[in-house]
Amino acid sequence: MSDTRYLSWPFFEERHRQLAGELESWAAEHVPHEHGTDVDAQCRSLVRALGAAGWLKHAVGGRSHGAADAIDTRSICLIRETLARHSGLADFAFAMQGLGSGAISLQGTPEQKERYLSRVARGEAIAAFALSEPEAGSDVAAMQCSARVEGGQAVLDGEKTWISNGGIADFYVVFCRTAEAPGARGISAFIVDAGTPGFEIAERIEVIAPHPLARLRFTNCRIPLSQRIGAAGEGFKIAMRTLDIFRTSVAAAALGFARRAMDEALHRATTRKMFNQVLADFQLTQAKLAQMATTIDASALLVYRAAWQRDQGHNVTREAAMAKLTATEGAHQVIDAAVQIFGGLGVVSGQPVERLYREIRSLRIYEGASEVQQLIIARELLKDLGNKAPAPSPVRKTP
Ligand SMILES: Cc1cc2nc3c(=O)[nH]c(=O)nc-3n(C[C@H](O)[C@H](O)[C@H](O)COP(=O)(O)OP(=O)(O)OC[C@H]3O[C@@H](n4cnc5c(N)ncnc54)[C@H](O)[C@@H]3O)c2cc1C
């Protein structure tokens, strides 16, 4: 088990320390170290196991639906960090239940919550979040997938891509252009059940760290208007609020991958004999280890500051972006250093550090690529400056 001294930081309450300890014991016993080739079956089985053990309750909000009262970001982050340390797929299975149902937790009607959240929390329904499109990834507001109202129904047409859990989800929260206003203000969110006529999986996508992923197609797909989440035109706001919670948790998952790489590197460096010493006796190795540990602590501070701040009810747009940028880029560096410490063994398929090297890559891209996080941070900084800007000082003329 990794160094857990950070759990005494003031961001946490006793219940968080207890949660982290209990999940660590559960994960050590129940999360498989090796995953076979049928990623769909493994994912379904992980969702069922996480639900049966009660962990998925933390991914959704609403006590009456067997869940936590409100979404507690620190719990979600601790769970993702711990699961990611054990298995990328276990973290993925947990995270997608939260991301896929987040819009319903935040803005769903009582009927929608009743119908979906308790099944998500028990691991009996698999959720997906469908925002990205082939021509609208970073530029979300460029989306084209549309929904028009016709005879009391919403009729969906268009495509979504890179959709995690695509092909195995029981329902998809789909963001569509409804054109109440141009750009981001003309988007609405809908729940589409798997098997709805007019909805199909157009393509399954294979990625370097395998998990269910697909391109979705909607052709004259009719759903009741009661499947809309929130008001017409509110979809973009709902998507951003959902991402504000889960963006910090992506950073927590990156932190978990980095901690695992650190553990592996420490073990290897202190046991690998060379030149009549072990690798860790060399100062060049010590410098690497020191940098890795410092990067991990800096990431952890930003992750749990953002999580704590959101749990206090504050806006975290800037803090979540800082956490995601630092933790995902930092984890990439930590894992790369671990691979280097392992030498040839570090690139052998199936080695933990080789797996981590593949797992971390997409975290720097999804839920807002690193460049997008930089833009968000800068925008928030400049906004603050604009609010506080003093009157410009008069230009002094040279005599
Ligand atoms: C494994 C995986 C799982 C995913 N799961 C989901 C999911 O479940 N649901 C969902 O809706 N989407 C999902 N996505 C999609 C993901 O959110 C997008 O891939 C991401 O938003 C980037 O969009 P894009 O791939 O179209 O890249 P583009 O938008 O084409 O961007 C390409 C690159 O351009 C750079 N860039 C972007 N903006 C700027 C800028 N302003 N200035 C300079 N450089 C910039 C970045 O480096 C970026 O990586 C997933 C993606 C992956 C890889």
Side-chain angles (χ1 to χ4, degrees):
M1 182 173 174
S2 285
D3 185 353
T4 55
R5 277 172 294 182
Y6 72 102
L7 289 171
S8 64
W9 287 353
F11 299 123
F12 301 110
E13 297 165 27
E14 189 46 40
R15 64 191 169 99
H16 295 117
R17 287 182 270 278
Q18 199 177 330
L19 173 92
E22 286 171 6
L23 178 58
E24 175 58 34
S25 309
W26 182 86
E29 197 178 330
H30 293 94
V31 173
H33 294 292
E34 296 289 326
H35 296 295
T37 47
D38 188 347
V39 78
D40 290 3
Q42 287 149 32
C43 221
R44 286 194 182 97
S45 134
L46 281 164
V47 170
R48 271 196 305 272
L50 287 163
W55 301 115
L56 291 178
K57 285 179 186 174
H58 295 278
V60 299
R63 198 187 293 280
S64 51
H65 313 290
D69 203 12
I71 289 181
D72 183 74
T73 324
R74 286 165 293 172
S75 299
I76 289 185
C77 288
L78 281 171
I79 293 173
R80 287 202 66 179
E81 184 193 323
T82 307
L83 292 175
R85 211 160 19 75
H86 286 269
S87 147
L89 204 58
D91 163 59
F92 169 84
F94 173 83
M96 283 315 303
Q97 290 297 89
L99 182 65
S101 66
I104 305 175
S105 290
L106 289 171
Q107 205 85 41
T109 61
E111 293 73 29
Q112 289 168 348
K113 289 181 175 175
E114 181 64 38
R115 179 155 178 221
Y116 293 100
L117 293 187
S118 45
R119 289 191 294 139
V120 170
R122 290 198 300 266
E124 292 166 6
I126 295 183
F129 176 85
L131 182 66
S132 305
E133 295 182 7
E135 299 304 325
S138 305
D139 184 6
V140 177
M143 77 170 57
Q144 291 169 6
C145 184
S146 68
R148 64 180 192 280
V149 177
E150 218 176 77
Q153 291 182 314
V155 188
L156 277 60
D157 278 291
E159 285 198 349
K160 292 285 168 186
T161 195
W162 313 118
I163 307 309
S164 298
N165 276 343
I168 69 162
D170 294 286
F171 69 92
Y172 299 73
V173 169
V174 185
F175 295 86
C176 300
R177 181 153 296 289
T178 41
E180 289 76 20
R185 282 173 296 130
I187 292 169
S188 305
F190 298 91
I191 312 168
V192 181
D193 291 324
T196 303
F199 166 42
E200 62 181 320
I201 303 299
E203 177 194 10
R204 289 295 299 262
I205 305 168
E206 302 290 328
V207 279
I208 54 175
H211 69 255
L213 195 70
R215 181 161 57 87
L216 320 179
R217 185 179 297 133
F218 301 92
T219 316
N220 206 23
C221 172
R222 292 171 179 272
I223 55 169
L225 260 187
S226 57
Q227 292 292 81
R228 189 179 66 212
I229 306 172
E234 270 190 357
F236 188 78
K237 213 165 67 187
I238 295 172
M240 293 307 122
R241 282 185 64 206
T242 310
L243 289 173
D244 259 356
I245 306 172
F246 290 97
R247 189 166 279 154
T248 308
S249 83
V250 176
L255 182 60
F257 290 144
R259 285 199 199 280
R260 176 65 183 270
M262 182 84 220
D263 292 347
E264 298 288 340
L266 277 171
H267 182 258
R268 181 71 182 166
T270 50
T271 52
R272 171 65 168 161
K273 293 195 180 69
M274 62 172 75
F275 307 111
N276 299 320
Q277 305 182 72
V278 290
L279 187 52
D281 290 329
F282 294 96
Q283 287 188 336
L284 283 173
T285 310
Q286 291 168 17
K288 267 199 197 75
L289 294 172
Q291 184 58 53
M292 291 162 78
T294 307
T295 302
I296 287 174
D297 265 20
S299 301
L301 282 162
L302 287 176
V303 168
Y304 290 108
R305 174 188 64 166
W308 170 83
Q309 192 166 317
R310 187 184 174 278
D311 291 341
Q312 308 311 302
H314 300 303
N315 180 293
V316 290
T317 304
R318 186 182 80 124
E319 289 74 15
M322 285 180 169
K324 183 176 185 276
L325 176 66
T326 305
T328 57
E329 294 289 333
H332 187 86
Q333 289 159 13
V334 168
I335 293 165
D336 188 59
V339 169
Q340 194 70 11
I341 284 172
F342 267 74
L345 205 51
V347 292
V348 171
S349 298
Q351 279 291 323
V353 291
E354 178 273 338
R355 186 175 47 72
L356 292 164
Y357 193 76
R358 288 183 287 107
E359 292 278 7
I360 190 59
R361 193 60 188 86
S362 57
L363 277 69
R364 293 166 61 206
I365 297 171
Y366 63 58
E367 293 190 38
S370 293
E371 290 81 354
V372 172
Q373 307 307 326
Q374 287 173 314
L375 290 176
I376 293 173
I377 298 163
R379 189 191 62 206
E380 294 293 309
L381 278 176
L382 295 171
K383 204 162 74 185
D384 285 352
L385 193 69
N387 291 339
K388 291 184 215 135
S393 42
V395 180
R396 276 184 62 190
K397 293 214 172 85
T398 42

